[in-house]
Amino acid sequence: QGMETESNGQDQGQKLVRKPYVLNEMEYEASLPEKKSNTLSRDLIDYVRYMIQNHGENYKEMARDEKNYYQDTPKQIKRKINVYKNFYPEEYKDFVASLKQEKMEVQ
């Protein structure tokens, strides 16, 4: 009897991956370069917004920022910001406008 419960336990473990092809497809999609997707990763958005918030359009300063985990050059950072602008023009405009508003309130 002990044997039976053991094999049942194994069966249950194997049933978890019911559709391996779905998993493979997801892994395949995850391995594709990000450019194909029509949304940007949260990381990239947060990164770009942080840089704009702290450095405006000074890409050299951005490249020196400790949060520049990717070790991006000023050109690469500019490209990322442009990608963000192209993907979310409205969000970008609102974000920049809100920053200007904050600055005016601080003064």
Side-chain angles (χ1 to χ4, degrees):
Q1 258 187 336
M3 290 283 283
E4 275 174 43
T5 53
E6 221 173 273
S7 68
N8 283 350
Q10 276 180 327
D11 287 348
Q12 279 175 334
Q14 283 167 341
K15 274 181 197 156
L16 285 175
V17 184
R18 270 184 225 110
K19 302 177 181 168
Y21 61 91
V22 173
L23 196 65
N24 291 344
E25 213 171 288
M26 286 166 71
E27 282 175 357
Y28 172 70
E29 279 174 19
S31 71
L32 291 174
E34 268 184 35
K35 284 189 188 112
K36 287 210 175 94
S37 70
N38 47 10
T39 57
L40 297 179
S41 72
R42 195 69 246 168
D43 282 352
L44 180 67
I45 294 169
D46 290 344
Y47 172 79
V48 166
R49 291 175 75 128
Y50 167 86
M51 289 302 188
I52 296 168
Q53 200 167 357
N54 288 282
H55 305 292
E57 293 192 343
N58 188 334
Y59 305 108
K60 283 199 174 99
E61 263 182 38
M62 292 177 193
R64 287 194 210 105
D65 193 292
E66 62 188 19
K67 287 241 166 77
N68 179 9
Y69 309 120
Y70 311 105
Q71 300 288 303
D72 287 335
T73 64
K75 266 190 192 156
Q76 287 170 314
I77 294 174
K78 187 174 184 176
R79 198 176 305 134
K80 283 182 178 177
I81 290 173
N82 285 334
V83 167
Y84 173 69
K85 279 185 201 174
N86 293 337
F87 266 100
Y88 305 109
E90 291 305 311
E91 191 181 315
Y92 175 78
K93 265 192 291 200
D94 293 345
F95 178 61
V96 171
S98 75
L99 289 178
K100 285 183 181 148
Q101 195 58 42
E102 277 174 35
K103 276 191 184 132
M104 285 165 73
E105 283 166 17
V106 168
Q107 292 167 356

